[in-house]
Amino acid sequence: MRKKANTDDPIPTVIPNEMSSKEFRRDWARLIQKIYEVDPLTCPKCQGSMRIISLIEELDIIERILRHLGLWDIPNHDPPQPAISRFYS
């Protein structure tokens, strides 16, 4: 209905960022570290510092990479069965 009445203002999907790329990377890493309690820019093998060199957004490319690594068709498992406790009187 809003579209027909010309009152549906489009919201841009990419909002311009006022931060520099260095500030943005630092904030991104800080948020990931806060949520997952791990620094995403520290190598899990050698603990060395890593940097972002590329960002892949195309689904077909992501699928090709994950299929190559054998990670695309990982079967889901059923959730664990609840423990049944029985009380005897």
Side-chain angles (χ1 to χ4, degrees):
M1 290 170 48
R2 288 181 296 184
K3 200 173 207 178
K4 288 181 181 178
N6 264 349
T7 59
D8 191 22
D9 296 329
I11 299 172
T13 45
V14 177
I15 299 172
N17 190 355
E18 301 298 323
M19 289 191 276
S20 70
S21 61
K22 189 174 184 177
E23 290 173 316
F24 184 78
R25 283 192 310 269
R26 188 173 39 241
D27 278 358
W28 169 83
R30 183 184 57 79
L31 291 172
I32 295 294
Q33 188 171 13
K34 184 176 181 180
I35 293 169
Y36 296 106
E37 298 177 355
V38 64
D39 186 357
L41 297 177
T42 299
C43 177
K45 293 182 180 177
C46 71
Q47 304 306 312
S49 179
M50 298 190 302
R51 62 188 175 101
I52 300 168
I53 59 171
S54 178
L55 181 66
I56 303 169
E57 297 178 335
E58 294 84 13
L59 181 60
D60 58 329
I61 302 296
I62 295 169
E63 182 179 351
R64 283 180 55 203
I65 292 170
L66 292 176
R67 282 190 186 280
H68 174 75
L69 296 172
L71 299 172
W72 183 256
D73 292 322
I74 296 176
N76 264 344
H77 56 80
D78 293 330
Q81 296 295 321
I84 299 173
S85 62
R86 296 186 180 170
F87 295 97
Y88 296 100
S89 50

